Structure formats: structure tokens, C-alpha cells
């Protein structure tokens, strides 16, 4: 008796496919850089192997989604309201980073992205924004010493 190949976990199948595509693309693009060796790595060495590992993980996840013992699930319908709020806030952050600085653009991004939630609350959004701002300032400005504007250009 021959069994047909059925996707039991649509989420796992889609995730595996996404991992495989992204991993293969990362590996392909990294071949344009000098590879080097394990002892003397070039700029393409690490992303190449990272892409290969991601693609292999994708194959494993995809194959597990086909197993009979895999939990049945489906991919839920895409909520356009949520997608627009989150993607729009990230695009706005990129556009406002230079004129408004990291502090204001990051707080604005987190609050706008929080509005995507059906359980949005101002208190949680502002606390989350301030926590992320303190982590970002500590890591990027003081830790890595990145030359990003922290405050709006008209203040500095």
C-alpha cells in the first residue's frame, strides 16, 4: 500500500520553506565575497555556512511537517491591520531616525507597533518603549559606540 505525501503542519511546512529559501539566498550572495578558510576566514565564510545551516534546519522542519505524527495545523488568515501597523512603524522609524534621533523615533516606532495588538494599552506600550530605548542606548550608543543621532537635530 502506497501512502500519499500530505502536509500535516502547514505552519511547519511554510517555516521550513522560508528557512530554506533565506538560507540558500544568504549562501549564494556570500559567494560573491572572499571565502577564506576556517583558519583565516574571509568576509563570505561565516554568512555562507550560516546560510547552509539555516537551509538544513529548513529541510528538517519541512520534513517534520510531513510526518504522520505531526500536529495538524493551518496557517491563519493574514490580518492586514496588524501587518500595516507593524511594517509601517518600522518604515517610519527608518525615515525618522536622522531628523528625530534614536530616542524619539524608537519610542514612536514601539508605540505604533503596539497599536497592532488587539489588547493595546498606553501604559504597557510606553513602558515597553522606554525599556527598549534604554537597552538600545546601552548597547548601540554606549556599548558599540555607533554614531547615531540620539536626539533630534534641532536640539543637538
Amino acid at each position: 500500500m502506497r501512502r500519499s505525501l500530505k502536509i500535516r503542519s502547514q505552519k511547519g511546512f511554510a517555516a521550513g520553506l522560508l528557512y530554506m529559501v533565506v538560507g540558500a539566498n544568504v549562501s549564494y550572495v556570500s559567494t560573491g565575497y572572499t571565502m577564506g578558510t576556517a583558519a583565516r576566514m574571509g568576509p563570505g565564510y561565516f554568512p555562507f555556512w550560516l546560510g547552509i545551516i539555516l537551509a538544513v534546519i529548513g529541510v528538517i522542519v519541512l520534513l517534520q511537517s510531513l510526518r504522520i505524527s505531526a500536529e495538524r495545523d493551518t496557517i491563519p488568515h493574514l490580518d492586514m491591520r496588524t501587518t500595516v501597523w507593524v511594517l509601517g512603524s518600522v518604515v517610519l522609524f527608518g525615515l525618522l531616525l536622522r531628523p528625530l534621533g534614536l530616542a524619539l523615533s524608537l519610542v514612536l516606532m514601539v508605540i505604533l507597533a503596539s497599536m497592532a495588538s488587539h489588547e493595546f494599552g498606553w501604559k504597557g506600550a510606553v513602558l515597553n518603549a522606554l525599556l527598549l530605548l534604554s537597552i538600545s542606548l546601552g548597547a548601540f550608543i554606549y556599548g558599540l559606540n555607533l554614531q547615531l543621532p540620539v536626539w533630534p537635530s534641532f536640539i543637538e
Side-chain angles (χ1 to χ4, degrees):
M1 181 162 96
R2 184 176 174 168
R3 289 191 232 179
S4 64
L5 197 61
K6 270 196 155 173
I7 301 171
R8 302 208 20 111
S9 171
Q10 289 182 1
K11 290 179 185 177
F13 188 83
L17 200 57
L18 180 69
Y19 294 166
M20 289 169 35
V21 168
V22 170
N25 280 321
V26 166
S27 292
Y28 175 74
V29 169
S30 68
T31 59
Y33 298 105
T34 305
M35 291 298 281
T37 63
R40 290 187 60 87
M41 295 181 198
Y45 189 87
F46 183 74
F48 175 80
W49 287 108
L50 194 63
I52 295 293
I53 291 169
L54 185 61
V56 168
I57 290 172
V59 169
I60 292 168
V61 170
L62 188 136
L63 290 176
Q64 286 180 344
S65 73
L66 302 174
R67 293 177 46 199
I68 292 174
S69 62
E71 181 181 332
R72 286 188 180 268
D73 62 13
T74 58
I75 297 174
H77 180 70
L78 182 65
D79 183 4
M80 285 307 292
R81 176 185 172 271
T82 302
T83 305
V84 168
W85 275 111
V86 172
L87 291 179
S89 69
V90 173
V91 169
L92 197 60
F93 171 79
L95 294 172
L96 296 177
L97 181 60
R98 290 275 179 224
L100 291 185
L102 181 66
L104 293 179
S105 58
L106 186 97
V107 168
L108 185 63
M109 177 190 69
V110 172
I111 290 173
L112 288 176
S114 297
M115 289 181 171
S117 172
H118 300 288
E119 300 151 8
F120 173 76
W122 282 101
K123 183 179 176 184
V126 170
L127 285 173
N128 192 12
L130 293 175
L131 177 66
L132 186 59
L133 177 61
S134 64
I135 291 169
S136 296
L137 287 173
F140 299 120
I141 304 301
Y142 301 114
L144 296 174
N145 202 23
L146 292 182
Q147 300 300 311
L148 292 173
V150 176
W151 301 108
S153 56
F154 57 84
I155 291 178
E156 290 182 359

